[in-house]
PDB file of all heavy atoms in Angstrom:
ATOM      1  N   VAL O  67       5.762  -0.472  -5.167  1.00  0.00           N
ATOM      2  CA  VAL O  67       6.235   0.509  -4.159  1.00  0.00           C
ATOM      3  C   VAL O  67       6.498  -0.189  -2.825  1.00  0.00           C
ATOM      4  O   VAL O  67       7.505   0.040  -2.163  1.00  0.00           O
ATOM      5  CB  VAL O  67       5.231   1.665  -3.981  1.00  0.00           C
ATOM      6  CG1 VAL O  67       5.532   2.537  -2.784  1.00  0.00           C
ATOM      7  CG2 VAL O  67       5.152   2.496  -5.250  1.00  0.00           C
ATOM      8  N   PHE O  68       5.580  -1.086  -2.449  1.00  0.00           N
ATOM      9  CA  PHE O  68       5.743  -1.813  -1.183  1.00  0.00           C
ATOM     10  C   PHE O  68       7.026  -2.686  -1.209  1.00  0.00           C
ATOM     11  O   PHE O  68       7.803  -2.702  -0.285  1.00  0.00           O
ATOM     12  CB  PHE O  68       4.514  -2.712  -0.909  1.00  0.00           C
ATOM     13  CG  PHE O  68       4.672  -3.607   0.251  1.00  0.00           C
ATOM     14  CD1 PHE O  68       4.591  -3.142   1.539  1.00  0.00           C
ATOM     15  CD2 PHE O  68       4.867  -4.965   0.066  1.00  0.00           C
ATOM     16  CE1 PHE O  68       4.740  -3.950   2.604  1.00  0.00           C
ATOM     17  CE2 PHE O  68       5.027  -5.824   1.133  1.00  0.00           C
ATOM     18  CZ  PHE O  68       4.973  -5.321   2.411  1.00  0.00           C
ATOM     19  N   LEU O  69       7.197  -3.411  -2.339  1.00  0.00           N
ATOM     20  CA  LEU O  69       8.373  -4.283  -2.441  1.00  0.00           C
ATOM     21  C   LEU O  69       9.676  -3.467  -2.489  1.00  0.00           C
ATOM     22  O   LEU O  69      10.695  -3.905  -1.992  1.00  0.00           O
ATOM     23  CB  LEU O  69       8.245  -5.198  -3.635  1.00  0.00           C
ATOM     24  CG  LEU O  69       7.134  -6.231  -3.504  1.00  0.00           C
ATOM     25  CD1 LEU O  69       6.999  -7.039  -4.803  1.00  0.00           C
ATOM     26  CD2 LEU O  69       7.388  -7.136  -2.332  1.00  0.00           C
ATOM     27  N   ASP O  70       9.640  -2.278  -3.114  1.00  0.00           N
ATOM     28  CA  ASP O  70      10.819  -1.462  -3.095  1.00  0.00           C
ATOM     29  C   ASP O  70      11.154  -1.019  -1.650  1.00  0.00           C
ATOM     30  O   ASP O  70      12.296  -0.987  -1.254  1.00  0.00           O
ATOM     31  CB  ASP O  70      10.627  -0.157  -3.970  1.00  0.00           C
ATOM     32  CG  ASP O  70      10.653  -0.494  -5.446  1.00  0.00           C
ATOM     33  OD1 ASP O  70      11.175  -1.588  -5.802  1.00  0.00           O
ATOM     34  OD2 ASP O  70      10.188   0.326  -6.241  1.00  0.00           O
ATOM     35  N   GLY O  71      10.148  -0.726  -0.860  1.00  0.00           N
ATOM     36  CA  GLY O  71      10.358  -0.392   0.503  1.00  0.00           C
ATOM     37  C   GLY O  71      10.924  -1.541   1.304  1.00  0.00           C
ATOM     38  O   GLY O  71      11.780  -1.416   2.186  1.00  0.00           O
ATOM     39  N   VAL O  72      10.403  -2.720   1.015  1.00  0.00           N
ATOM     40  CA  VAL O  72      10.908  -3.950   1.669  1.00  0.00           C
ATOM     41  C   VAL O  72      12.356  -4.202   1.304  1.00  0.00           C
ATOM     42  O   VAL O  72      13.175  -4.492   2.187  1.00  0.00           O
ATOM     43  CB  VAL O  72      10.048  -5.194   1.303  1.00  0.00           C
ATOM     44  CG1 VAL O  72      10.660  -6.482   1.745  1.00  0.00           C
ATOM     45  CG2 VAL O  72       8.639  -5.048   1.919  1.00  0.00           C
ATOM     46  N   SER O  73      12.695  -4.014   0.034  1.00  0.00           N
ATOM     47  CA  SER O  73      14.064  -4.221  -0.401  1.00  0.00           C
ATOM     48  C   SER O  73      14.998  -3.205   0.282  1.00  0.00           C
ATOM     49  O   SER O  73      16.089  -3.555   0.739  1.00  0.00           O
ATOM     50  CB  SER O  73      14.148  -3.981  -1.907  1.00  0.00           C
ATOM     51  OG  SER O  73      13.382  -4.913  -2.578  1.00  0.00           O
ATOM     52  N   ALA O  74      14.554  -1.942   0.409  1.00  0.00           N
ATOM     53  CA  ALA O  74      15.384  -0.912   1.050  1.00  0.00           C
ATOM     54  C   ALA O  74      15.582  -1.253   2.550  1.00  0.00           C
ATOM     55  O   ALA O  74      16.730  -1.121   3.064  1.00  0.00           O
ATOM     56  CB  ALA O  74      14.722   0.423   0.923  1.00  0.00           C
ATOM     57  N   LYS O  75      14.534  -1.730   3.190  1.00  0.00           N
ATOM     58  CA  LYS O  75      14.619  -2.104   4.629  1.00  0.00           C
ATOM     59  C   LYS O  75      15.561  -3.339   4.781  1.00  0.00           C
ATOM     60  O   LYS O  75      16.382  -3.388   5.689  1.00  0.00           O
ATOM     61  CB  LYS O  75      13.253  -2.374   5.185  1.00  0.00           C
ATOM     62  CG  LYS O  75      13.238  -2.593   6.651  1.00  0.00           C
ATOM     63  CD  LYS O  75      13.682  -1.432   7.410  1.00  0.00           C
ATOM     64  CE  LYS O  75      13.621  -1.643   8.916  1.00  0.00           C
ATOM     65  NZ  LYS O  75      14.245  -0.531   9.671  1.00  0.00           N
ATOM     66  N   LEU O  76      15.444  -4.303   3.871  1.00  0.00           N
ATOM     67  CA  LEU O  76      16.289  -5.498   3.945  1.00  0.00           C
ATOM     68  C   LEU O  76      17.752  -5.084   3.729  1.00  0.00           C
ATOM     69  O   LEU O  76      18.658  -5.557   4.450  1.00  0.00           O
ATOM     70  CB  LEU O  76      15.881  -6.492   2.918  1.00  0.00           C
ATOM     71  CG  LEU O  76      16.734  -7.766   2.817  1.00  0.00           C
ATOM     72  CD1 LEU O  76      16.634  -8.553   4.124  1.00  0.00           C
ATOM     73  CD2 LEU O  76      16.372  -8.645   1.651  1.00  0.00           C
ATOM     74  N   LYS O  77      17.997  -4.180   2.777  1.00  0.00           N
ATOM     75  CA  LYS O  77      19.361  -3.698   2.512  1.00  0.00           C
ATOM     76  C   LYS O  77      19.903  -3.049   3.730  1.00  0.00           C
ATOM     77  O   LYS O  77      21.067  -3.302   4.179  1.00  0.00           O
ATOM     78  CB  LYS O  77      19.327  -2.746   1.335  1.00  0.00           C
ATOM     79  CG  LYS O  77      20.631  -2.132   0.948  1.00  0.00           C
ATOM     80  CD  LYS O  77      20.436  -1.171  -0.200  1.00  0.00           C
ATOM     81  CE  LYS O  77      21.725  -0.657  -0.740  1.00  0.00           C
ATOM     82  NZ  LYS O  77      22.209   0.563  -0.096  1.00  0.00           N
ATOM     83  N   GLU O  78      19.127  -2.219   4.380  1.00  0.00           N
ATOM     84  CA  GLU O  78      19.572  -1.533   5.606  1.00  0.00           C
ATOM     85  C   GLU O  78      19.875  -2.550   6.728  1.00  0.00           C
ATOM     86  O   GLU O  78      20.876  -2.479   7.416  1.00  0.00           O
ATOM     87  CB  GLU O  78      18.459  -0.608   6.060  1.00  0.00           C
ATOM     88  CG  GLU O  78      18.767   0.212   7.288  1.00  0.00           C
ATOM     89  CD  GLU O  78      17.573   1.063   7.685  1.00  0.00           C
ATOM     90  OE1 GLU O  78      16.978   1.690   6.814  1.00  0.00           O
ATOM     91  OE2 GLU O  78      17.257   1.101   8.895  1.00  0.00           O
TER      92      GLU O  78
END
Side-chain angles (χ1 to χ4, degrees):
V67 169
F68 173 75
L69 291 175
D70 286 343
V72 169
S73 300
K75 187 64 177 171
L76 178 65
K77 180 180 185 271
E78 181 182 316

